[in-house]
Amino acid sequence: MTYRVRISRGAQADLERLFGFLVEHDLATAMRAREAIEMGYGLLREFPFACRAASSENPFLRELLVPFGNAGYVILFDIEGGTTVTMAAVRHQREDDYR
């Protein structure tokens, strides 16, 4: 089964913020980071349950680790109704936890 990946407004704002930060320093790195995150979408489409659980109370709330450089990114997402994966937030691994 293939899931549809939806990006929440909050996750979109996170992606724009992260990309904007990198663009200020190095456009090529920003483009590679964006590509790495987009490659993660493929895993979410095909195997969202392969990602680690983010909550002991909600088995559908999960995190995808996206390696990039010495750290990477963490995508918080929710598996909804067996057909949709909604990205709720995106953080660099060295940032504070989700809001």
Side-chain angles (χ1 to χ4, degrees):
M1 162 176 231
T2 300
Y3 291 78
R4 181 176 75 97
V5 176
R6 188 176 79 78
I7 303 172
S8 71
R9 288 184 188 168
Q12 183 61 42
D14 291 338
L15 290 167
E16 291 171 9
R17 177 183 52 80
L18 292 165
F19 185 72
F21 174 81
L22 287 174
V23 164
E24 289 179 17
H25 297 81
D26 184 348
L27 178 59
T29 299
M31 297 303 289
R32 286 195 326 274
R34 187 162 123 186
E35 183 178 304
I37 291 169
E38 288 175 354
M39 286 178 60
Y41 297 172
L43 182 64
L44 294 180
R45 282 187 193 98
E46 298 296 326
F47 306 107
F49 285 100
C51 299
R52 73 181 184 191
S55 166
S56 59
E57 294 87 35
N58 181 355
F60 300 104
L61 187 63
R62 299 197 167 244
E63 294 178 322
L64 169 64
L65 301 178
V66 178
F68 186 75
N70 292 331
Y73 298 93
V74 181
I75 299 174
L76 180 69
F77 66 94
D78 193 18
I79 302 168
E80 301 174 345
T83 60
T84 304
V85 171
T86 300
M87 292 173 47
V90 183
R91 294 285 183 270
H92 189 274
Q93 287 182 342
R94 293 187 179 149
E95 283 187 277
D96 289 337
D97 208 1
Y98 303 107
R99 296 175 218 165

